[in-house]
Amino acid sequence: MNRTWLRRMIWSYLPIFFIMFSFLFFVFFQTLVEQNNRNTKEASKVFVGQLLQTVDVSLKSLDTMMIRELVSSNLLSDFFLANGNDNVFLNYQVVNRMQQIQHELSIIDSYYLVRYKDGIVFSGKTTKMDDFKDIAFIRSQQNSVESHTSTWSSIRPYHELVAQKPKSVISLVHRVSVGSGADGLIVVNVSVASLRAMIKEMYNPDQAFVQLYDRGNQQLFMQDETNTSGKVLASQTSLYSGWTVESGVVNGKVVALISHLSSIWLVLGFIIFLAGSVFIVYITRKNYKPIEELVFRIQDQFGSGKPTLGRLAVDEFTFIETAINNFAEQTKLFRKEAEASAISKRKTLFMELLQLERGVQEEAIDPAALPQHDKQRVFVIEIDQPEQVFNQYKSRDQSLFKFVISSATHELFTQHDIPIWLEWTSMLQMTGILFLPDSSKEEAEVICERITTWIHQHLAFTVSIGLGEADAVAELAGVSNKQALEALTFKAALGHNRVIHYSDTQQVATVKATNTHLQAIHRLIQHFRLHEENWRESFDAMFSGMRSCYLPKSEIAELSRYFVAHMDLQLSQASKDYYDVWMSEASESLRQIIDEFDTLDELQSLCYATLQLYADQMGQLYSGRMHHQLLQEIRGYIGRYFSNPELSLEYLADKFGISAKYISQLYKEEFGENFLDYLSQLRISEAKRRLLEQPDSIQEVGEHVGYVNAATFRRVFRKVEGISPVDFRKRHAM
């Protein structure tokens, strides 16, 4: 009876039900449109902020690197203090360092250095300022009234050579003033194409559009590179670069039109809903109890908000059941999104902690977001010998190994109740932040030792760990992170599979002696160039000196490159046969070894093998020369009797039965230096020793080493040493 009555009632008022459900559908549709618009705008704002932050971080990284390079290294300062283009070694060091910076930051397109005092522009080669193709930009920056030292230009065309096609770049201009009259510019050009490629990877152009404007309101993307038919939903301007980013949804105007149409239907539906509600309430009032109970159930479970339906319900009960199911599904979805957002926020906070140092606003970090701690300490795990072992695995296996390393590290620290955050900050380095109490002592060092041991025992490769400090001076994660990374640079000298403490590297750093290393290199070059048997002892002494000083990898590579460059120069002055064999067989191989070595032992072994091969080939060339043995005897005679005032080419010609002119020619070809230069070096070297060790007068010292005329002795001494014998004795006597 009741079921029949209910069925009739439903069929009688089916049109009204249809109209009401249509109204609810449009309400639902309108709610979805409005919610979608709000979500889209919020997402656009977040996306614009992240995109702008990414661009700013890239530009700031370059700006910070150039400032740090100028402050911490004397290389660029020496360039601006220099004069002219005669300092080849300084220019070589500048080119080498700038190439390293270009390798570290791929967005760098080119660079050049402007020195005002002599009008020099150096971009890998030296050019007069007025002849440089970018002179208009240099003049504009030179006449600029801006007081700060670093500025970013607008998008502009740049080409260094006439034949080059101009490229769009933005330029970092760093004003340099290192002394009186030593002013200039460092201009680093960033490729606009690189910025475009970086930004395009961050969004789907089929769903959204992005446009960037520089300070001059120039667009980063051309009209044919991005779809700008949508409505701009978010816009933000960087306080650092002054760039403005606009973003929106493609075809957003269509969505807005649908929203307006749905509003009209909403008004009509609302009028019909009021008329139908008055009519239905009276009939269904007594039968509403079961539905009311279910409504209370929904309110108790999900609150007072309306559930969003995925489809039109068949009857009231199905309607309510559908609402409950949809609410449950949305709750799961929101929970997953919240978890993903928490992970993203934690990773962002992690990177902010690594960049936090003294002088930075520490209040920018919410203490409630961090574990309870008194100090922070950072360690960096780096995979050893990646080219030989780790990179041989497929990408999937590498990811699995990284997961194993991070899991093992996390477990070992959590076993000791030490909160830790871990992230792979590069392909081969995992950074960990430890949140330590004041009571912690040496637990971090012990656990790091256990990590290296565990990985060595269970995996097919080893790792080294750089460990920063955690005392009152280095209590911030950013400082400790820099210390850990600096400690890893000593891995080349200290070896693999170990924990390197920053404090240990600072203790050994005080015994560095660059002049000693250069002297060892010069001795090796002299012995090797003259094909003397004791070159091997000089080679071992050079590497023993670097090993005893615990030099970082960068300094070892720099000294090794200096050795190869100086060998190139010395052998270029010797016989062409020797020089050709050196350049084709040894020079390029040594440079490749220096670029690819991982440890000092590996570098020493490979360089020795290359030099030994060249020495064998030189031995064959020496044995084929008719006068090789005679010239060795002449050189030995000069070394024994250099103090003889009568020693000259004519004297040697009479002594060895060969013309003086021929001796001079053969000596130059064999040893790469003139007879008189070698004789002067021997005499002045002995004179320096006697000036410091004997109380003899200047004239007596000159006579002892072969200069009867005191004026001649003083002239030759000043030519070789740059100062007079009297000044030399006074300076070193102090």
Side-chain angles (χ1 to χ4, degrees), residues 522-555:
H522 291 160
R523 284 195 298 271
L524 171 60
I525 292 174
Q526 182 179 9
H527 295 159
F528 191 81
R529 182 171 59 82
L530 299 177
H531 199 60
E532 298 178 357
E533 290 298 327
N534 60 344
W535 73 265
R536 297 173 181 82
E537 288 77 5
S538 299
F539 178 83
D540 293 337
M542 181 183 74
F543 276 90
S544 297
M546 289 190 289
R547 186 176 287 104
S548 64
C549 288
Y550 295 97
L551 297 179
K553 184 178 180 180
S554 58
E555 294 189 22

Short mmCIF file of all heavy atoms in Angstrom, two decimals, residues 522-555:
data_model
loop_
_atom_site.label_atom_id
_atom_site.label_comp_id
_atom_site.label_asym_id
_atom_site.label_seq_id
_atom_site.Cartn_x
_atom_site.Cartn_y
_atom_site.Cartn_z
N HIS A 522 109.74 22.62 -11.92
CA HIS A 522 110.83 23.13 -12.76
C HIS A 522 112.02 22.16 -12.76
O HIS A 522 112.67 21.97 -13.80
CB HIS A 522 111.26 24.49 -12.26
CG HIS A 522 110.23 25.55 -12.50
ND1 HIS A 522 110.19 26.75 -11.82
CD2 HIS A 522 109.16 25.58 -13.34
CE1 HIS A 522 109.17 27.47 -12.23
NE2 HIS A 522 108.52 26.78 -13.14
N ARG A 523 112.32 21.55 -11.60
CA ARG A 523 113.40 20.56 -11.56
C ARG A 523 113.08 19.36 -12.44
O ARG A 523 113.94 18.88 -13.18
CB ARG A 523 113.64 20.12 -10.11
CG ARG A 523 114.38 21.13 -9.27
CD ARG A 523 114.91 20.48 -7.99
NE ARG A 523 113.83 19.98 -7.15
CZ ARG A 523 113.21 20.70 -6.23
NH1 ARG A 523 113.58 21.97 -6.02
NH2 ARG A 523 112.25 20.18 -5.50
N LEU A 524 111.84 18.88 -12.35
CA LEU A 524 111.45 17.75 -13.19
C LEU A 524 111.56 18.11 -14.67
O LEU A 524 112.06 17.31 -15.48
CB LEU A 524 110.01 17.34 -12.84
CG LEU A 524 109.36 16.31 -13.79
CD1 LEU A 524 110.15 15.02 -13.79
CD2 LEU A 524 107.91 16.06 -13.38
N ILE A 525 111.10 19.30 -15.04
CA ILE A 525 111.16 19.71 -16.46
C ILE A 525 112.60 19.78 -16.93
O ILE A 525 112.94 19.32 -18.03
CB ILE A 525 110.45 21.07 -16.64
CG1 ILE A 525 108.94 20.90 -16.40
CG2 ILE A 525 110.71 21.63 -18.03
CD1 ILE A 525 108.17 22.21 -16.43
N GLN A 526 113.48 20.35 -16.08
CA GLN A 526 114.88 20.46 -16.48
C GLN A 526 115.51 19.09 -16.65
O GLN A 526 116.17 18.83 -17.67
CB GLN A 526 115.65 21.27 -15.44
CG GLN A 526 117.12 21.49 -15.79
CD GLN A 526 117.84 22.31 -14.75
OE1 GLN A 526 117.29 22.58 -13.69
NE2 GLN A 526 119.07 22.69 -15.03
N HIS A 527 115.32 18.19 -15.70
CA HIS A 527 115.91 16.85 -15.81
C HIS A 527 115.31 16.06 -16.97
O HIS A 527 116.03 15.35 -17.69
CB HIS A 527 115.69 16.08 -14.50
CG HIS A 527 116.39 16.69 -13.34
ND1 HIS A 527 116.03 16.46 -12.02
CD2 HIS A 527 117.45 17.56 -13.28
CE1 HIS A 527 116.82 17.13 -11.22
NE2 HIS A 527 117.69 17.82 -11.95
N PHE A 528 114.01 16.19 -17.17
CA PHE A 528 113.36 15.43 -18.23
C PHE A 528 113.75 15.96 -19.60
O PHE A 528 113.98 15.19 -20.53
CB PHE A 528 111.84 15.50 -18.05
CG PHE A 528 111.08 14.54 -18.91
CD1 PHE A 528 110.94 13.22 -18.54
CD2 PHE A 528 110.52 14.96 -20.10
CE1 PHE A 528 110.25 12.33 -19.34
CE2 PHE A 528 109.83 14.08 -20.91
CZ PHE A 528 109.69 12.77 -20.53
N ARG A 529 113.80 17.29 -19.73
CA ARG A 529 114.14 17.87 -21.02
C ARG A 529 115.56 17.52 -21.43
O ARG A 529 115.85 17.35 -22.63
CB ARG A 529 113.97 19.39 -20.94
CG ARG A 529 114.24 20.12 -22.23
CD ARG A 529 113.85 21.58 -22.12
NE ARG A 529 114.56 22.27 -21.07
CZ ARG A 529 115.79 22.77 -21.18
NH1 ARG A 529 116.44 22.65 -22.32
NH2 ARG A 529 116.37 23.38 -20.17
N LEU A 530 116.45 17.42 -20.45
CA LEU A 530 117.85 17.07 -20.74
C LEU A 530 118.09 15.58 -20.78
O LEU A 530 119.22 15.13 -20.91
CB LEU A 530 118.76 17.71 -19.69
CG LEU A 530 118.72 19.25 -19.62
CD1 LEU A 530 119.60 19.75 -18.51
CD2 LEU A 530 119.10 19.85 -20.96
N HIS A 531 117.00 14.80 -20.65
CA HIS A 531 117.09 13.34 -20.73
C HIS A 531 118.04 12.78 -19.67
O HIS A 531 118.81 11.84 -19.93
CB HIS A 531 117.54 12.92 -22.13
CG HIS A 531 117.22 11.47 -22.43
ND1 HIS A 531 115.93 10.98 -22.42
CD2 HIS A 531 118.02 10.41 -22.72
CE1 HIS A 531 115.96 9.69 -22.70
NE2 HIS A 531 117.21 9.32 -22.89
N GLU A 532 117.97 13.36 -18.48
CA GLU A 532 118.78 12.86 -17.38
C GLU A 532 118.04 11.72 -16.67
O GLU A 532 116.82 11.74 -16.55
CB GLU A 532 119.07 14.00 -16.40
CG GLU A 532 119.87 15.13 -17.02
CD GLU A 532 120.10 16.27 -16.04
OE1 GLU A 532 119.57 16.17 -14.91
OE2 GLU A 532 120.77 17.25 -16.41
N GLU A 533 118.80 10.75 -16.20
CA GLU A 533 118.21 9.55 -15.61
C GLU A 533 117.45 9.85 -14.31
O GLU A 533 116.52 9.13 -13.95
CB GLU A 533 119.29 8.50 -15.35
CG GLU A 533 119.87 7.88 -16.61
CD GLU A 533 118.80 7.12 -17.40
OE1 GLU A 533 117.89 6.56 -16.78
OE2 GLU A 533 118.88 7.12 -18.64
N ASN A 534 117.86 10.90 -13.61
CA ASN A 534 117.21 11.18 -12.32
C ASN A 534 115.88 11.92 -12.47
O ASN A 534 115.34 12.45 -11.50
CB ASN A 534 118.14 11.99 -11.43
CG ASN A 534 118.52 13.32 -12.05
OD1 ASN A 534 118.33 13.52 -13.25
ND2 ASN A 534 119.06 14.21 -11.24
N TRP A 535 115.31 11.97 -13.69
CA TRP A 535 113.99 12.62 -13.84
C TRP A 535 112.92 11.84 -13.09
O TRP A 535 111.92 12.42 -12.65
CB TRP A 535 113.62 12.77 -15.32
CG TRP A 535 113.24 11.50 -16.05
CD1 TRP A 535 114.04 10.70 -16.78
CD2 TRP A 535 111.93 10.90 -16.09
NE1 TRP A 535 113.35 9.63 -17.28
CE2 TRP A 535 112.04 9.73 -16.88
CE3 TRP A 535 110.69 11.22 -15.54
CZ2 TRP A 535 110.95 8.90 -17.12
CZ3 TRP A 535 109.61 10.40 -15.78
CH2 TRP A 535 109.74 9.25 -16.57
N ARG A 536 113.12 10.53 -12.95
CA ARG A 536 112.12 9.73 -12.22
C ARG A 536 112.08 10.12 -10.75
O ARG A 536 111.00 10.17 -10.13
CB ARG A 536 112.42 8.25 -12.39
CG ARG A 536 112.33 7.77 -13.85
CD ARG A 536 112.81 6.34 -14.00
NE ARG A 536 112.76 5.89 -15.38
CZ ARG A 536 113.70 6.15 -16.28
NH1 ARG A 536 114.78 6.86 -15.92
NH2 ARG A 536 113.57 5.74 -17.52
N GLU A 537 113.28 10.38 -10.16
CA GLU A 537 113.29 10.82 -8.77
C GLU A 537 112.60 12.18 -8.62
O GLU A 537 111.84 12.42 -7.66
CB GLU A 537 114.72 10.91 -8.24
CG GLU A 537 115.39 9.56 -8.01
CD GLU A 537 115.87 8.91 -9.30
OE1 GLU A 537 115.77 9.56 -10.36
OE2 GLU A 537 116.35 7.75 -9.26
N SER A 538 112.82 13.07 -9.59
CA SER A 538 112.16 14.38 -9.54
C SER A 538 110.65 14.23 -9.70
O SER A 538 109.86 14.95 -9.08
CB SER A 538 112.71 15.29 -10.64
OG SER A 538 114.09 15.51 -10.46
N PHE A 539 110.23 13.28 -10.54
CA PHE A 539 108.80 13.02 -10.74
C PHE A 539 108.16 12.54 -9.44
O PHE A 539 107.10 13.03 -9.02
CB PHE A 539 108.63 11.98 -11.86
CG PHE A 539 107.21 11.60 -12.13
CD1 PHE A 539 106.41 12.37 -12.96
CD2 PHE A 539 106.65 10.46 -11.55
CE1 PHE A 539 105.08 12.03 -13.21
CE2 PHE A 539 105.34 10.11 -11.79
CZ PHE A 539 104.56 10.90 -12.63
N ASP A 540 108.81 11.57 -8.78
CA ASP A 540 108.27 11.06 -7.51
C ASP A 540 108.27 12.15 -6.45
O ASP A 540 107.34 12.24 -5.63
CB ASP A 540 109.09 9.86 -7.04
CG ASP A 540 108.93 8.66 -7.96
OD1 ASP A 540 107.90 8.60 -8.67
OD2 ASP A 540 109.83 7.80 -7.98
N ALA A 541 109.30 13.01 -6.45
CA ALA A 541 109.37 14.08 -5.45
C ALA A 541 108.24 15.09 -5.65
O ALA A 541 107.67 15.60 -4.68
CB ALA A 541 110.72 14.78 -5.54
N MET A 542 107.91 15.37 -6.90
CA MET A 542 106.83 16.32 -7.17
C MET A 542 105.50 15.80 -6.61
O MET A 542 104.76 16.51 -5.93
CB MET A 542 106.71 16.57 -8.68
CG MET A 542 105.62 17.56 -9.05
SD MET A 542 105.44 17.79 -10.83
CE MET A 542 104.63 16.25 -11.27
N PHE A 543 105.19 14.53 -6.86
CA PHE A 543 103.94 13.96 -6.38
C PHE A 543 103.97 13.74 -4.87
O PHE A 543 102.94 13.86 -4.20
CB PHE A 543 103.64 12.66 -7.10
CG PHE A 543 102.96 12.86 -8.42
CD1 PHE A 543 103.70 13.01 -9.58
CD2 PHE A 543 101.58 12.94 -8.51
CE1 PHE A 543 103.08 13.22 -10.79
CE2 PHE A 543 100.95 13.14 -9.72
CZ PHE A 543 101.70 13.28 -10.87
N SER A 544 105.15 13.44 -4.32
CA SER A 544 105.24 13.28 -2.86
C SER A 544 104.95 14.61 -2.17
O SER A 544 104.30 14.65 -1.12
CB SER A 544 106.63 12.77 -2.47
OG SER A 544 106.85 11.48 -3.02
N GLY A 545 105.43 15.72 -2.77
CA GLY A 545 105.15 17.03 -2.20
C GLY A 545 103.67 17.36 -2.20
O GLY A 545 103.13 17.86 -1.22
N MET A 546 102.98 17.05 -3.32
CA MET A 546 101.54 17.30 -3.37
C MET A 546 100.79 16.40 -2.40
O MET A 546 99.81 16.81 -1.78
CB MET A 546 101.03 17.10 -4.81
CG MET A 546 101.48 18.18 -5.78
SD MET A 546 100.66 18.10 -7.40
CE MET A 546 101.42 16.63 -8.09
N ARG A 547 101.25 15.17 -2.26
CA ARG A 547 100.58 14.23 -1.37
C ARG A 547 100.77 14.64 0.10
O ARG A 547 99.84 14.54 0.90
CB ARG A 547 101.11 12.82 -1.61
CG ARG A 547 100.37 11.73 -0.84
CD ARG A 547 100.89 10.35 -1.19
NE ARG A 547 100.48 9.93 -2.53
CZ ARG A 547 101.28 9.92 -3.58
NH1 ARG A 547 102.56 10.31 -3.46
NH2 ARG A 547 100.84 9.55 -4.76
N SER A 548 101.96 15.11 0.45
CA SER A 548 102.21 15.50 1.84
C SER A 548 101.44 16.75 2.24
O SER A 548 101.14 16.94 3.41
CB SER A 548 103.71 15.73 2.04
OG SER A 548 104.15 16.83 1.25
N CYS A 549 101.08 17.60 1.26
CA CYS A 549 100.33 18.82 1.56
C CYS A 549 98.83 18.60 1.53
O CYS A 549 98.07 19.53 1.81
CB CYS A 549 100.70 19.92 0.56
SG CYS A 549 102.36 20.58 0.81
N TYR A 550 98.38 17.40 1.15
CA TYR A 550 96.94 17.10 1.10
C TYR A 550 96.19 18.14 0.26
O TYR A 550 95.22 18.75 0.70
CB TYR A 550 96.34 17.05 2.51
CG TYR A 550 96.87 15.91 3.34
CD1 TYR A 550 97.89 16.14 4.24
CD2 TYR A 550 96.35 14.63 3.22
CE1 TYR A 550 98.40 15.10 5.02
CE2 TYR A 550 96.85 13.59 4.01
CZ TYR A 550 97.87 13.82 4.90
OH TYR A 550 98.35 12.80 5.65
N LEU A 551 96.69 18.35 -0.95
CA LEU A 551 96.06 19.35 -1.81
C LEU A 551 94.70 18.87 -2.29
O LEU A 551 94.51 17.69 -2.56
CB LEU A 551 96.95 19.62 -3.04
CG LEU A 551 98.32 20.22 -2.76
CD1 LEU A 551 99.07 20.41 -4.06
CD2 LEU A 551 98.20 21.54 -2.03
N PRO A 552 93.73 19.79 -2.44
CA PRO A 552 92.44 19.40 -3.05
C PRO A 552 92.63 19.10 -4.53
O PRO A 552 93.63 19.48 -5.16
CB PRO A 552 91.56 20.64 -2.84
CG PRO A 552 92.52 21.77 -2.65
CD PRO A 552 93.73 21.18 -2.00
N LYS A 553 91.66 18.44 -5.09
CA LYS A 553 91.75 17.99 -6.48
C LYS A 553 91.96 19.14 -7.45
O LYS A 553 92.73 19.02 -8.41
CB LYS A 553 90.48 17.21 -6.86
CG LYS A 553 90.52 16.61 -8.24
CD LYS A 553 89.26 15.82 -8.53
CE LYS A 553 89.30 15.20 -9.93
NZ LYS A 553 88.07 14.42 -10.23
N SER A 554 91.30 20.28 -7.21
CA SER A 554 91.42 21.41 -8.13
C SER A 554 92.86 21.93 -8.20
O SER A 554 93.36 22.25 -9.28
CB SER A 554 90.48 22.53 -7.70
OG SER A 554 90.77 22.95 -6.38
N GLU A 555 93.57 22.00 -7.04
CA GLU A 555 94.94 22.49 -7.04
C GLU A 555 95.89 21.47 -7.66
O GLU A 555 96.85 21.84 -8.33
CB GLU A 555 95.36 22.82 -5.62
CG GLU A 555 94.59 23.99 -5.01
CD GLU A 555 95.18 24.44 -3.69
OE1 GLU A 555 96.37 24.16 -3.45
OE2 GLU A 555 94.46 25.06 -2.89
#
